[in-house]
Amino acid sequence: MLAVVLAALRGVHGQQTVDEAVSLYYLANEVATTYHGMMIAIPEVEWDVFYRMSASDMAVTLLDLAKRVNIRAFRKSPRGPKKPRPERDGNAKQGHVSTAK
């Protein structure tokens, strides 16, 4: 299901934008949590319209829904640059001295 959602988003917002800006973690989390709520709140008979749809109609519907997605809500959080390792304070020739008693 995640691949279908990503394909719809790429179709509307562009492949480069989705690949560089959308976090798979946040997107998968949103799908998983929303799915459970929708299964509770929406009766099963309401989903029959999607079962009867042809593949082309489903693609058009998915693209229409993808237009309404706020991409910024699923923005990646890139890791900042690594900090350099701090200089050692002790003398390397001296070695370790245990203070445990």
Side-chain angles (χ1 to χ4, degrees):
M1 182 185 335
L2 187 58
V4 172
V5 172
L6 284 171
L9 290 174
R10 285 181 183 124
V12 172
H13 299 285
Q15 181 169 351
Q16 184 177 3
T17 302
V18 173
D19 290 345
E20 291 177 2
V22 175
S23 167
L24 292 179
Y25 172 79
Y26 291 136
L27 187 61
N29 187 38
E30 180 71 19
V31 169
T33 56
T34 303
Y35 171 80
H36 290 296
M38 286 175 28
M39 292 299 110
I40 293 169
I42 301 173
E44 191 172 331
V45 295
E46 298 293 326
W47 296 103
D48 287 344
V49 66
F50 296 106
Y51 294 129
R52 291 190 301 266
M53 270 188 194
S54 67
S56 61
D57 289 341
M58 180 64 85
V60 169
T61 302
L62 287 172
L63 290 173
D64 183 48
L65 292 172
K67 289 177 188 173
R68 303 174 194 185
V69 172
N70 180 8
I71 291 291
R72 286 177 275 160
F74 305 106
R75 176 174 68 225
K76 286 184 180 180
S77 298
R79 180 181 174 3
K82 284 189 172 183
K83 295 179 183 175
R85 190 172 185 182
E87 292 290 323
R88 293 185 141 197
D89 294 337
N91 188 352
K93 293 180 182 178
Q94 199 173 34
H96 176 73
V97 177
S98 176
T99 58
K101 298 286 181 181

